[in-house]
Structures are given as C-alpha cells and as structure tokens.
Amino acid sequence: ILRFAALTLCLLAFAADAAQAQGRPDTFSPGEIVQEGHRFFGTVSRGLAQVVEKAVSRWGQPNGYILGQEGSGAFIVGLRYGDGKLYTKNAGDRRVVWEGPSIGFDTGGEGARTMMLVYNLPATDAIYQRFAGIDGSAYFIGGFGMTALASGNIIVVPIRSGVGFRLGANIGYLKFTPHATW
C-alpha cells in the first residue's frame, strides 16, 4: 500500500510537468493519437477515444507513442513480453522490445495489441530503460485498459486491447530494449 501511495504521488507530480508540454510542435494531439489507434486496433472505438482523452487530460500531449503487441500470464507472479515500434514527430522511429515481471493478486493470461503514450521523452534512446508501476485488470474476453509507468521524468502509459481473462492487481516493471533478450 505504501508503494502504491508513493507511486501515485510521483505520477501526480509528473502530471504538472506533462501539462506544460501541451501544444508543442513535437507532441501528438489527442486526435492524432485516436486516429492512429483506430488504424492500429482495427476498429472505430468509443472506448479507445475515452481512454486517450483521459490520459491526455491527466498528462498532456505525448511526444511519442509505441504501437505493438504483447502476451502475458500470471498466477501471483507474472511475466509480460512484447515488441513494437516507437514513433516520434521529429526524432525518428525506433524498434522496441519490452519484458517485465510482476507480483501481486493477479491471475490469468492475455494477448494484447498495445499503444503506449510516451511523455517527456528527451531522446529516442531514453526509452531503453526500466519503467515501474502498478497495474490492475478485470476483464473476460476483451476490452481497453490503461495504466501508467514511470522512470525519472519519463512517463509511459500503456493502453491495451486484450483478449483473454485477467483479474487482479500487481506491481511490476517493463524493461525496454532495442532487441529481444529472451
């Protein structure tokens, strides 16, 4: 519970910094993110637009986003693996692979298409590190979900559209690398 409270306070502090980034030419507008999301997820979904609007209202406009796919499974201890591509407006695109453990009251498995909004990314190579956070899921068959991970001033907000069964909450991290390490 103390970790959850500390992470929440950190994310709220980062929210003020992210709000200052709104409107910069190197950021993506909510409309651009929703449009890419609709193309990527293959459907015009009101749920996606609501999740993106919530993220933008909380952290501002992202200066990067990742599109990819991932798989995960958990029974108290979990693992998540994924790969995709980081897109930025003026710093180029990069391939990213992520993996990470989790622990908590969590069970189930999922396959998901994932869009991650990236805030305060100073350079594309800065994505290659660990981002810690708390995740919670409760769905059967599918749906959209959002969580937030942080490392220093950089915030990554994964938006997942998964298929499977997942129930619970956990603490974990995602480590981003340019190549698969598994």
Side-chain angles (χ1 to χ4, degrees), residues 125-143:
D125 287 344
I127 196 71
Y128 301 130
Q129 59 180 310
R130 284 189 175 102
F131 292 84
I134 298 171
D135 190 13
S137 301
Y139 63 85
F140 179 69
I141 305 299

Side-chain angles (χ1 to χ4, degrees), residues 17-165:
D17 291 339
Q20 294 174 351
Q22 266 184 312
R24 294 189 343 218
D26 64 340
T27 63
F28 293 93
S29 72
E32 290 172 305
I33 296 295
V34 170
Q35 182 179 3
E36 283 300 316
H38 288 305
R39 261 203 328 251
F40 179 68
F41 290 113
T43 182
V44 178
S45 170
R46 192 173 135 231
L48 172 64
Q50 289 173 335
V51 171
V52 168
E53 288 295 329
K54 184 175 179 180
V56 169
S57 71
R58 188 162 191 186
W59 292 288
Q61 294 181 349
N63 63 340
Y65 64 91
I66 297 169
L67 296 178
Q69 57 278 331
E70 64 182 26
S72 68
F75 182 74
I76 300 175
V77 176
L79 290 173
R80 182 176 304 275
Y81 295 99
D83 70 336
K85 192 169 192 178
L86 168 68
Y87 296 92
T88 63
K89 277 200 169 180
N90 60 4
D93 305 332
R94 295 276 193 271
R95 179 173 188 249
V96 293
V97 177
W98 60 92
E99 60 186 24
S102 63
I103 187 164
F105 302 103
D106 192 17
T107 186
E110 69 179 312
R113 297 197 106 201
T114 304
M115 169 185 267
M116 298 185 192
L117 306 180
V118 183
Y119 296 92
N120 305 320
L121 189 67
T124 54
D125 287 344
I127 196 71
Y128 301 130
Q129 59 180 310
R130 284 189 175 102
F131 292 84
I134 298 171
D135 190 13
S137 301
Y139 63 85
F140 179 69
I141 305 299
F144 281 100
M146 176 182 83
T147 188
L149 307 167
S151 178
N153 213 20
I154 304 169
I155 298 171
V156 176
V157 180
I159 300 170
R160 296 181 176 100
S161 176
V163 175
F165 169 78

